[in-house]
């Protein structure tokens, strides 16, 4: 991670770490990096989620871009992957998304995509960080050299929805679907999409007010969908996060189907149709160990990448795989998209379910799962406290100790989040109770450091 960039863009509490001033500097830095050799104005597509702070940050980063001569198209409220797709479709020079994904409303973030629809590489991020820190040296444009802002929200929304709907190859889903839009970006697209799929559905949490995004809803809070499934009125539940690049599924019995299990489902489905490339798929270092067993049972290769969908994508390219993702619900189908797309994932799952002729619970019944827990330790001292904990000899000693204790029957993996001020403690063991006991031991240890 860099000075400003984490695993998924630049994040912080809006108005504090992520101020309007910083957003303006990011816009200027991005415009400087985008300066074209042919002298033409760079063009930038900007999407946002429903947070109250998006107005401020959208205005600030747009001003920064225009002050250096870039033209900006405001896409309005749209999912993160829509910005990536539309950047490619319109041949823009960059895509920007203002969103903090699954985080609560007071947080926000700025994600940057290149003209190819991929998130920026480390070198470009480092260059932008350097320019942010030396913004006083950037010379503003004047007069007719200034950039302009345009918008046509409805048109681009329809273009994106048509693209996602076109990815469906299966027939109409026979059951009723409950959909949780997290009061986020999917509120603008989900209803249109599922109508085009001719699905019978009911949507909840689609009334954003600026402060209720992800609040008790979405892919990080599945209680509503679990209750809906247990009511017997629905056959499937689909939850998106705030910027709709994640998707989690709830089966007809009320059980969660996470990203790991979806990857296994997609792997089997794609292999059967000959669509799977690289004879395998990519997960992350926190993917359930059951994925290793699944891969062996299905004669495919499971690859692990560092956490973050950009890292997953890089590993996919290295291994020649066209399927990868994270247990949190980011799934990448690289033949169709350059980043995780929650609604594309939902469409693909419905297709796989239709082709299987099974219920969702039956579709995942043979996927191996190790008992796993991942509680978090909240940081109050920022990067200094984070580094002190992660590098402390007591923590390293305990990790080595439990590596021996759990050898062959589990593991402990500790990592700081790249998007939140927390350290995640992942433990796999013979039982969930044992895993939680070990996780709590490590959290108690971190409190003493």
């Amino acid at each position: 991670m860099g000075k400003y960039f984490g695993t998924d863009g630049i994040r912080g509490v809006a108005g504090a770490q992520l101020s309007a001033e910083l957003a303006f500097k990011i816009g200027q830095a991005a415009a400087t990096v985008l300066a074209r050799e042919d002298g033409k104005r760079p063009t930038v597509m900007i999407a946002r989620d429903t947070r109250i702070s998006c107005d401020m940050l959208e205005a600030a980063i747009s001003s920064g871009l225009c002050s250096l001569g870039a033209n900006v198209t405001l896409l309005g409220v749209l999912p993160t992957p829509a910005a990536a797709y539309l950047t490619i479709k319109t041949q823009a020079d960059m895509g920007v998304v203002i969103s903090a994904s699954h985080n609560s409303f007071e947080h926000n973030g700025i994600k940057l995509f290149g003209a190819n629809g991929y998130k920026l590489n480390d070198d470009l991020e480092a260059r932008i960080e350097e320019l942010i820190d030396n913004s006083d040296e950037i010379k503003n444009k004047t007069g007719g050299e200034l950039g302009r802002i345009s918008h046509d929200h409805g048109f681009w929304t329809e273009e994106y929805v048509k693209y996602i709907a076109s990815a469906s190859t299966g027939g109409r889903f026979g059951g009723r679907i409950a959909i949780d839009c997290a009061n986020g970006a999917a509120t603008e697209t989900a209803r249109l999409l599922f109508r085009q799929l001719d699905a019978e559905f009911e949507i909840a949490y689609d009334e954003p007010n600026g402060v209720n995004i992800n609040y008790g809803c979405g892919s990080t809070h599945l209680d509503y969908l679990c209750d809906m499934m247990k009511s017997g009125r629905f056959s499937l539940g689909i939850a998106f996060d705030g910027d709709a690049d994640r998707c989690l599924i709830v089966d007809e019995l009320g059980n969660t189907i996470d990203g790991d299990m979806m990857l296994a489902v997609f792997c089997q489905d794609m292999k059967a149709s000959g669509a799977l490339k690289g004879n395998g798929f990519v997960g992350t270092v926190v993917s359930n160990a059951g994925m290793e067993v699944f891969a062996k049972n299905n004669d495919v290769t499971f690859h692990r990448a560092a956490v973050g969908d950009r890292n997953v994508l890089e590993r996919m390219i290295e291994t020649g795989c066209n399927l990868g993702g994270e247990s949190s619900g980011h799934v990448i189908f690289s033949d169709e998209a350059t980043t995780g797309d929650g609604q594309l994932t939902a469409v693909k799952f419905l297709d796989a379910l239709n082709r299987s002729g099974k219920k969702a619970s039956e579709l995942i019944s043979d996927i191996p799962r190790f008992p796993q827990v991942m509680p978090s330790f909240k940081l109050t001292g920022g990067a200094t406290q984070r580094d002190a904990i992660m590098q402390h000899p007591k923590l390293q000693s305990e990790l080595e100790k439990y590596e021996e204790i759990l050898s062959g029957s589990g593991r402990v993996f500790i990592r700081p989040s790249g998007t939140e001020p927390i350290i995640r403690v992942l433990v796999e063991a013979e039982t969930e109770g044992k895993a939680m006991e070990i996780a709590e031991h490590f959290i108690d240890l971190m409190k003493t450091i």
Side-chain angles (χ1 to χ4, degrees):
M1 292 185 288
K3 179 177 180 180
Y4 298 104
F5 285 91
T7 56
D8 196 17
I10 298 173
R11 296 278 184 97
V13 173
Q17 298 95 342
L18 187 53
S19 63
E21 292 80 5
L22 177 57
F24 180 82
K25 291 178 181 179
I26 294 169
Q28 287 199 315
T32 302
V33 167
L34 291 176
R36 296 173 56 133
E37 293 181 0
D38 60 9
K40 291 183 179 179
R41 293 177 182 273
T43 57
V44 181
M45 313 290 279
I46 301 181
R48 47 165 289 186
D49 67 22
T50 59
R51 291 163 215 269
I52 193 170
S53 58
C54 283
D55 289 343
M56 172 187 77
L57 295 173
E58 181 184 70
I61 194 169
S62 298
S63 296
L65 287 161
C66 289
S67 73
L68 270 293
N71 284 337
V72 173
T73 297
L74 300 181
L75 301 172
V77 174
L78 272 182
T80 287
Y85 167 71
L86 292 170
T87 296
I88 298 170
K89 183 176 179 64
T90 61
Q91 298 183 317
D93 296 287
M94 180 176 281
V96 176
V97 179
I98 303 168
S99 173
S101 191
H102 61 283
N103 294 154
S104 52
F105 85 93
E106 68 273 16
H107 297 267
N108 216 325
I110 295 175
K111 309 179 190 185
L112 305 177
F113 293 87
N116 57 6
Y118 294 110
K119 291 179 180 177
L120 301 188
N121 60 38
D122 291 339
D123 290 342
L124 280 175
E125 288 184 351
R127 175 64 177 143
I128 287 173
E129 289 187 338
E130 180 184 355
L131 289 165
I132 290 171
D133 285 337
N134 294 282
S135 60
D136 292 343
E137 299 175 11
I138 297 175
K139 186 177 180 180
N140 291 345
K141 302 289 186 180
T142 59
E145 293 183 326
L146 292 169
R148 306 192 70 173
I149 298 174
S150 61
H151 47 82
D152 189 350
H153 301 170
F155 175 78
W156 296 118
T157 299
E158 291 177 3
E159 285 294 300
Y160 169 69
V161 169
K162 282 193 294 185
Y163 157 68
I164 296 298
S166 71
S168 176
T169 59
R172 183 179 187 273
F173 181 66
R176 185 171 175 79
I177 307 169
I179 302 170
D180 181 342
C181 289
N183 290 317
T187 59
E188 293 295 314
T189 54
R191 194 177 302 276
L192 295 172
L193 172 62
F194 286 90
R195 280 177 180 164
Q196 289 198 25
L197 297 177
D198 193 27
E200 186 180 357
F201 63 91
E202 182 176 304
I203 288 185
Y205 298 106
D206 63 335
E207 298 180 356
N209 61 14
V211 299
N212 63 357
I213 186 171
N214 298 315
Y215 184 72
C217 57
S219 62
T220 53
H221 301 88
L222 296 174
D223 291 349
Y224 162 77
L225 286 184
C226 291
D227 289 343
M228 291 299 98
M229 296 307 106
K230 292 172 183 177
S231 73
R233 296 172 47 225
F234 298 90
S235 302
L236 197 72
I238 298 173
F240 303 112
D241 67 337
D243 66 337
D245 63 351
R246 295 186 185 190
C247 168
L248 290 182
I249 303 289
V250 178
D251 70 21
E252 79 283 358
L253 302 178
N255 300 312
T256 301
I257 301 176
D258 67 8
D260 289 341
M261 289 185 276
M262 283 192 284
L263 284 172
V265 168
F266 295 137
C267 177
Q268 288 179 323
D269 184 62
M270 292 168 68
K271 186 177 182 181
S273 67
L276 187 70
K277 295 178 181 176
N279 194 43
F281 63 104
V282 176
T284 72
V285 290
V286 301
S287 292
N288 193 281
M291 293 297 95
E292 309 277 2
V293 180
F294 168 85
K296 184 177 180 180
N297 292 345
N298 287 269
D299 194 27
V300 297
T301 304
F302 174 62
H303 307 274
R304 290 187 185 268
V307 171
D309 62 344
R310 191 183 72 172
N311 296 318
V312 171
L313 183 60
E314 288 176 357
R315 190 80 172 112
M316 290 168 66
I317 294 170
E318 289 173 6
T319 58
C321 294
N322 60 344
L323 173 66
E326 302 182 273
S327 53
S328 59
H330 282 126
V331 179
I332 302 174
F333 300 92
S334 61
D335 289 343
E336 288 106 339
T338 58
T339 188
D341 189 319
Q343 288 170 107
L344 178 61
T345 301
V347 168
K348 293 282 192 178
F349 190 87
L350 289 173
D351 280 357
L353 192 58
N354 278 343
R355 282 190 286 270
S356 73
K358 298 178 179 179
K359 296 179 180 179
S361 62
E362 297 169 341
L363 191 60
I364 63 167
S365 61
D366 294 331
I367 298 172
R369 296 284 295 174
F370 282 38
Q372 182 189 85
V373 299
M374 191 164 57
S376 300
F377 175 75
K378 189 172 180 62
L379 295 167
T380 56
T384 301
Q385 182 190 19
R386 176 197 68 202
D387 294 343
I389 290 174
M390 294 302 298
Q391 297 167 12
H392 202 283
K394 284 171 64 176
L395 178 63
Q396 299 305 317
S397 176
E398 283 298 286
L399 285 170
E400 291 174 6
K401 172 183 171 182
Y402 274 87
E403 184 178 354
E404 291 185 17
I405 292 173
L406 295 172
S407 179
S409 63
R411 62 175 177 140
V412 178
F413 183 76
I414 296 178
R415 70 170 187 92
S417 169
T419 59
E420 299 174 83
I422 59 176
I423 293 177
R424 302 189 193 279
V425 182
L426 182 148
V427 182
E428 291 171 345
E430 293 175 347
T431 66
E432 187 172 324
K434 182 65 175 176
M436 184 56 73
E437 178 185 328
I438 295 170
E440 289 174 349
H441 166 73
F442 276 92
I443 288 176
D444 289 341
L445 175 63
M446 285 189 278
K447 291 177 181 177
T448 68
I449 296 176

